[in-house]
Amino acid sequence: MTMGDVTDYRSLLLDRLESLVQEDKAGADARKTVTLDQQSVGRLSRMDALQQQAMANATHARRGVERSAILSALKRLDDGEFGFCADCGDDIPEPRLQLNPTVLKCIGCARG
């Protein structure tokens, strides 16, 4: 992997990390505790608000998993281990890394 490739992957990962931070900020209100006036809002509206909160929390959790994978990929870049399969040590094909730069395994090891 060339130095330019490493720089491109680092830039791609950092851009996605920043995007996740912005998405978390935008969705912060949806994750807040649901408080509704039971006199003015019906049962279905309360259920809908609780469902939207649950979906926002699940989305936040998925972003957290992706954030961890990005930070791990950035560490592998720093350590010179990026682009190598975590199981067998072979190169991960470039098209696979371009599709998902956080991937840890080559196709053979991922299939088991």
Side-chain angles (χ1 to χ4, degrees), residues 46-78:
R46 286 192 302 275
M47 288 173 47
D48 185 46
L50 290 171
Q51 182 182 24
Q52 288 177 4
Q53 179 195 32
M55 290 184 336
N57 285 333
T59 300
H60 178 70
R62 282 192 299 274
R63 282 190 204 116
V65 169
E66 186 177 357
R67 189 178 307 108
S68 294
I70 290 170
L71 293 173
S72 177
L74 288 168
K75 180 165 180 9
R76 288 193 309 277
L77 274 169
D78 292 340

Side-chain angles (χ1 to χ4, degrees), residues 2-102:
T2 68
M3 198 61 170
D5 292 339
V6 170
T7 302
D8 290 344
Y9 282 118
R10 182 178 308 282
S11 176
L12 180 68
L13 290 164
L14 289 173
D15 288 348
R16 181 60 186 145
L17 192 60
E18 179 59 29
S19 176
L20 289 172
V21 169
Q22 296 304 319
E23 289 172 18
D24 270 348
K25 286 180 183 177
D29 286 340
R31 294 188 311 271
K32 290 182 181 177
T33 303
V34 175
T35 54
L36 298 170
D37 179 6
Q38 295 192 17
Q39 300 300 322
S40 64
V41 178
R43 180 176 58 88
L44 293 178
S45 295
R46 286 192 302 275
M47 288 173 47
D48 185 46
L50 290 171
Q51 182 182 24
Q52 288 177 4
Q53 179 195 32
M55 290 184 336
N57 285 333
T59 300
H60 178 70
R62 282 192 299 274
R63 282 190 204 116
V65 169
E66 186 177 357
R67 189 178 307 108
S68 294
I70 290 170
L71 293 173
S72 177
L74 288 168
K75 180 165 180 9
R76 288 193 309 277
L77 274 169
D78 292 340
D79 295 344
E81 298 173 1
F82 183 82
F84 299 104
C85 178
D87 285 353
C88 68
D90 287 345
D91 289 344
I92 298 174
E94 191 73 23
R96 183 164 170 79
L97 285 173
Q98 289 173 355
L99 181 64
N100 182 1
T102 63

